[in-house]
Amino acid sequence: MDETKKFLYEDNVINTYDTMASFYDELFETGALKVLREIVRRTLLEAIQIENAYILDAGGGSGALGLMLAQRGHYITIADLSKSMLDIGKDKASKAE
């Protein structure tokens, strides 16, 4: 992929997630995506066997999984290309404190 196409692709991905940010978590409340999130949640809980782990959640979006891990005592850093998704995650984290 040449640099122009790569830039346009990345910009399109960011814009898509910025647009979806306000309703992204709702997508995981029903149907197959709810099942998928539960599978990921259980897998993470089984995989992380140490207490108070330092975890980088790359592509962490609105922070749903990172917040769940933080509530279990882990130290979470969330990175995401979408500022809108990160803003929602920050808001959720501040309300959870």
Side-chain angles (χ1 to χ4, degrees), residues 45-90:
L45 293 175
E46 289 174 16
I48 302 170
Q49 295 295 314
I50 59 175
E51 293 183 23
N52 304 320
Y54 287 84
I55 299 168
L56 171 62
D57 187 355
S62 65
L65 294 171
L67 183 58
M68 179 266 304
L69 292 170
Q71 290 169 335
R72 286 166 172 75
H74 301 294
Y75 301 95
I76 309 299
T77 299
I78 296 177
D80 201 280
L81 293 174
S82 169
K83 182 181 180 317
S84 297
M85 294 288 275
L86 289 172
D87 288 344
I88 289 172
K90 286 178 190 176

Side-chain angles (χ1 to χ4, degrees), residues 1-82:
M1 181 180 303
D2 69 36
E3 289 303 309
T4 302
K5 287 180 183 176
K6 182 179 176 186
F7 174 78
L8 292 173
Y9 172 78
E10 289 173 359
D11 192 47
N12 189 35
V13 169
I14 293 167
N15 288 335
T16 298
Y17 280 96
D18 281 344
T19 301
M20 292 174 43
S22 64
F23 61 88
Y24 184 81
D25 286 338
E26 293 173 26
L27 296 173
F28 291 89
E29 292 177 2
T30 60
L33 290 177
K34 182 177 183 176
V35 173
L36 175 63
R37 180 164 278 175
E38 181 59 20
I39 291 168
V40 171
R41 187 188 74 77
R42 287 181 186 185
T43 301
L44 285 171
L45 293 175
E46 289 174 16
I48 302 170
Q49 295 295 314
I50 59 175
E51 293 183 23
N52 304 320
Y54 287 84
I55 299 168
L56 171 62
D57 187 355
S62 65
L65 294 171
L67 183 58
M68 179 266 304
L69 292 170
Q71 290 169 335
R72 286 166 172 75
H74 301 294
Y75 301 95
I76 309 299
T77 299
I78 296 177
D80 201 280
L81 293 174
S82 169

